[in-house]
């Protein structure tokens, strides 16, 4: 049975959460990346940063806990954890640009074999702006992309060269999809992990660049 959209998102978020380490300062982009917060491993404490000026973002609130003044950068209502601090967006971007964010997770429209990222604009469609993405890809120590492997009509989103306007050039470190975990290396894209319900041929068929394969083959994807 093919995975539902919800199951795909859950698998991707759960896998990326396993990359978190105790004490990390983490920024989660709008959309699928916010789900990573639901799967932080037990015993690990991470501090979630929102670029609108909040450090210590908690989980989504229950209906009875909603405070309209507590929102993340995507204008979603959130909760605060003990020790949460608030500051101006200028200070928040100073934190990002100063290299103090250990890891950021962003969605993508396209990623290419050089690690170029396009995730903010589709020509001819209404633009909401790039938000903090351009600063995050330039300032965060590691950049993870969380996205479905192919488009709705099964066209590759991992390309030899991005065709959409770039968010950042050669900024992506890792790509996690429902099918695979891919590392962006100078030599190309390394297929590090393969999902249990996917084959190498299936993944390559929806990936435009030729994937590099480890000498012992890709490991099973941790799901």
């Amino acid at each position: 049975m093919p995975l539902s959209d919800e199951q795909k998102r859950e698998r991707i978020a759960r896998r990326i959460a396993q990359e978190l380490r105790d004490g990390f300062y983490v920024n989660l982009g709008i959309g699928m990346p916010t789900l990573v917060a639901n799967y932080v491993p037990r015993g690990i404490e991470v501090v979630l940063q929102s670029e609108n000026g909040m450090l210590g973002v908690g989980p989504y609130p229950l209906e009875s806990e909603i405070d309209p003044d507590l929102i993340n950068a995507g204008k979603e209502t959130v909760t605060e954890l003990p020790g949460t601090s608030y500051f101006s967006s200028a200070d928040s971007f100073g934190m990002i640009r100063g290299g103090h964010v250990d890891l950021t997770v962003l969605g993508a429209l396209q990623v290419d074999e050089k690690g170029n990222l396009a995730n903010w604009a589709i020509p001819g469609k209404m633009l909401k702006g790039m938000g903090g993405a351009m600063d995050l890809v330039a300032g965060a120590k590691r950049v993870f992309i969380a996205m479905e492997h192919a488009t709705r009509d099964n066209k590759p989103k991992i390309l030899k060269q991005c065709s959409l306007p770039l968010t950042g050039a050669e900024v992506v470190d890792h790509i996690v999809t429902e099918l695979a975990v891919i590392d962006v290396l100078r030599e190309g894209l390394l297929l590090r992990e393969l999902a249990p319900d996917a084959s190498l041929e299936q993944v390559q068929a929806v990936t435009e660049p030729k994937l590099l394969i480890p000498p012992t083959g890709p490991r099973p994807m941790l799901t």
Side-chain angles (χ1 to χ4, degrees):
M1 287 286 292
L3 296 177
S4 66
D5 289 345
E6 183 177 353
Q7 287 172 323
K8 290 177 183 178
R9 291 192 293 268
E10 179 183 340
R11 174 181 287 184
I12 293 165
R14 189 185 296 274
R15 176 61 191 87
I16 292 177
Q18 295 173 47
E19 298 289 330
L20 303 180
R21 298 293 179 265
D22 202 37
F24 268 18
Y25 288 88
V26 177
N27 182 290
L28 302 177
I30 297 168
M32 190 192 310
T34 60
L35 299 177
V36 173
N38 296 338
Y39 302 105
V40 176
R42 289 186 178 182
I44 295 293
E45 182 176 336
V46 298
V47 181
L48 297 181
Q49 188 252 17
S50 184
E51 62 261 31
N52 59 326
M54 186 175 180
L55 193 63
V57 180
Y60 290 115
L62 300 173
E63 193 76 29
S64 59
E65 299 174 326
I66 291 176
D67 180 345
D69 289 328
L70 289 182
I71 60 170
N72 62 17
K75 298 181 175 59
E76 300 170 308
T77 53
V78 294
T79 57
E80 58 182 0
L81 299 177
T84 295
S85 58
Y86 302 92
F87 33 86
S88 72
S89 59
D91 289 328
S92 183
F93 277 92
M95 178 181 178
I96 294 168
R97 294 166 184 166
H100 304 293
V101 173
D102 295 291
L103 186 149
T104 187
V105 185
L106 299 170
L109 298 167
Q110 297 176 342
V111 183
D112 70 25
E113 62 185 345
K114 298 293 186 184
N116 296 321
L117 169 65
N119 79 341
W120 75 279
I122 299 176
K125 294 197 175 183
M126 187 175 70
L127 301 180
K128 293 183 178 180
M130 76 293 295
M134 289 184 176
D135 288 283
L136 283 163
V137 296
K141 295 174 185 174
R142 293 172 73 196
V143 176
F144 274 81
I145 297 304
M147 69 175 191
E148 292 187 25
H149 206 100
T151 64
R152 293 284 182 186
D153 52 357
N154 215 36
K155 295 292 195 319
K157 294 172 71 174
I158 302 174
L159 306 172
K160 291 181 179 178
Q161 185 173 357
C162 291
S163 60
L164 296 175
L166 294 186
T167 306
E170 300 185 12
V171 293
V172 175
D173 298 301
H174 311 279
I175 306 164
V176 180
T177 75
E178 78 280 9
L179 300 179
V181 177
I182 297 170
D183 295 335
V184 182
L185 307 178
R186 185 170 298 177
E187 301 81 16
L189 301 179
L190 178 72
L191 182 61
R192 176 163 36 123
E193 296 179 17
L194 187 64
D197 50 0
S199 67
L200 177 57
E201 292 74 22
Q202 178 188 359
V203 174
Q204 185 61 75
V206 287
T207 307
E208 193 174 75
K210 179 69 173 175
L211 292 167
L212 304 176
I213 309 299
T216 55
R219 299 197 301 265
M221 185 175 175
L222 302 171
T223 58

